[in-house]
Amino acid sequence: MNEDTRFEIPKDMKAMAEASFDQARKTFEKFLTSAQATAGSLEERGATVRAGAKDISSKAIAYAEKNVQASLDYAQSLLKAKDLTEVMRLHSDYVQGQMRSLAEQASEMGQIVSKAAMEAAKPKA
């Protein structure tokens, strides 16, 4: 590859960005732990929270975790890109992957919400 067309992030900026991503991952992990604990405490309240709400909150947390992780992985991969062509390929792959993932998540969430609504509408025996 010609030195004139080489894409390179300055070392200081790269080190700072990597430290920022590491901090973002740690912050996200703390947030996720807290969100899961909150969801767990809501579920323990018994009759006020239905099983459907548990499924919905569990899925929403799992989706959030997956989406944030994908975004962090994408951002970190950009730091390692060798040239503009690789940046464009990484971006295209990320966008396509996220579109597929979001479509799957929307479909699954729709099914869970429908199931929860049907369960809630059932007459109590």
Side-chain angles (χ1 to χ4, degrees):
M1 177 176 289
N2 186 339
E3 285 296 315
D4 294 336
T5 60
R6 186 168 167 80
F7 177 79
E8 200 167 308
I9 297 172
K11 288 181 183 178
D12 291 344
M13 182 181 271
K14 187 174 181 177
M16 185 173 64
E18 286 174 348
S20 294
F21 285 117
D22 287 343
Q23 184 61 41
R25 282 185 194 276
K26 289 175 186 170
T27 300
F28 175 66
E29 288 169 2
K30 287 179 185 176
F31 164 77
L32 188 59
T33 299
S34 175
Q36 288 170 337
T38 300
S41 70
L42 287 174
E43 290 161 11
E44 291 169 4
R45 293 188 184 163
T48 59
V49 178
R50 304 183 85 67
K54 177 183 175 188
D55 289 346
I56 292 167
S57 67
S58 295
K59 269 297 186 193
I61 289 171
Y63 292 155
E65 179 180 12
K66 181 179 179 182
N67 294 336
V68 171
Q69 188 65 49
S71 296
L72 291 170
D73 290 346
Y74 165 64
Q76 194 165 30
S77 71
L78 289 177
L79 290 174
K80 298 174 183 170
K82 304 271 187 271
D83 55 33
L84 189 55
T85 302
E86 187 174 359
V87 169
M88 296 306 291
R89 182 188 56 77
L90 290 168
H91 180 71
S92 177
D93 292 349
Y94 170 74
V95 169
Q96 289 175 9
Q98 284 303 101
M99 293 302 289
R100 279 191 305 273
S101 184
L102 291 173
E104 289 170 10
Q105 291 170 7
S107 175
E108 288 176 9
M109 189 60 82
Q111 292 172 7
I112 292 169
V113 169
S114 293
K115 180 182 172 187
M118 288 181 2
E119 290 293 323
K122 280 185 181 176
K124 297 189 190 239

